[in-house]
Amino acid sequence: MATSNDLKNGMVLVFDNQLWQVVEFQHVKPGKGPAFVRTKLKNVLSGKTVDRTLNAGVKVETATVDRRDMQYLYNDGADYIFMDEDTYEQIPVTPEVLGDAAHFLLENQRAIVAFHEGTVLSVELPASVVLEVAQTEPGLQGDRSNAGTKPATLETGFEIQVPLFLNIGDKVKVDTRTGDYISRA
């Protein structure tokens, strides 16, 4: 148990027998009346986001979340298989839990897998990954006032917008949170 004053981003709480992750919070002390905490919570399993207001000092139930470093091994068609590097235990992760992280996964890549009571909650990738451009059209420079972009398919099959000077075989750094091109690697 914790109080609403102890909330932090990323903390997992239990409300109505469901797990909710704190996305953001704000302590508010109005000039008149008691203080309160305004929060934005994301349902860990469904991904639904809600706003919730809690009175200051109210007790909230926290969930124990175990975060383990794991290695992505392969996709067996239905699930993505991760291996615990300490115990060599292999764990299947469904595409629904993995979400957009599947666009940036390469074999033998490291990730942090979050568990609650044996259930996989989420997979966290590094903030950026380096991937190779598998397919793109040649970029043609022309008369334009700003830098142009073109679509490029990465080695994982995900398509992003890249600058015109990139070619097939170039390695690019991609932001895993937004899916945007960062730089040439």
Side-chain angles (χ1 to χ4, degrees), residues 125-161:
L125 294 179
S128 65
V129 293
V130 175
L131 298 170
E132 186 175 316
V133 176
Q135 176 62 40
T136 188
E137 297 296 321
L140 299 174
Q141 290 289 49
D143 296 331
R144 63 175 62 88
S145 61
N146 57 359
T149 60
K150 61 182 178 178
T153 305
L154 303 174
E155 60 187 308
T156 60
F158 187 62
E159 188 172 291
I160 64 170
Q161 293 291 322

Side-chain angles (χ1 to χ4, degrees), residues 10-160:
M11 194 177 226
V12 179
L13 307 174
V14 179
F15 285 118
D16 306 325
N17 293 327
Q18 293 184 343
L19 298 177
W20 297 87
Q21 184 173 20
V22 177
V23 177
E24 61 185 54
F25 68 96
Q26 178 183 20
H27 292 277
V28 179
K29 175 68 175 111
K32 198 175 200 183
F36 58 91
V37 180
R38 191 176 290 138
T39 62
K40 183 180 279 189
L41 303 172
K42 177 182 170 189
N43 189 308
V44 174
L45 299 176
S46 70
K48 177 180 155 186
T49 305
V50 297
D51 292 326
R52 192 156 186 172
T53 303
L54 305 168
N55 289 333
V58 168
K59 296 223 181 273
V60 290
E61 186 179 348
T62 59
T64 54
V65 176
D66 179 26
R67 297 178 192 277
R68 290 192 258 172
D69 286 329
M70 301 190 92
Q71 180 180 10
Y72 169 64
L73 296 179
Y74 60 91
N75 181 350
D76 72 354
D79 293 331
Y80 294 83
I81 307 300
F82 286 82
M83 179 183 70
D84 188 326
E85 295 178 331
D86 297 330
T87 63
Y88 302 107
E89 176 187 6
Q90 293 185 7
I91 296 162
V93 177
T94 62
E96 294 80 28
V97 171
L98 194 59
D100 290 339
H103 300 305
F104 310 106
L105 271 180
L106 290 174
E107 290 182 1
N108 301 323
Q109 184 174 351
R110 306 255 183 302
I112 297 173
V113 180
F115 294 89
H116 173 68
E117 296 178 356
T119 305
V120 177
L121 298 178
S122 65
V123 176
E124 301 169 21
L125 294 179
S128 65
V129 293
V130 175
L131 298 170
E132 186 175 316
V133 176
Q135 176 62 40
T136 188
E137 297 296 321
L140 299 174
Q141 290 289 49
D143 296 331
R144 63 175 62 88
S145 61
N146 57 359
T149 60
K150 61 182 178 178
T153 305
L154 303 174
E155 60 187 308
T156 60
F158 187 62
E159 188 172 291
I160 64 170

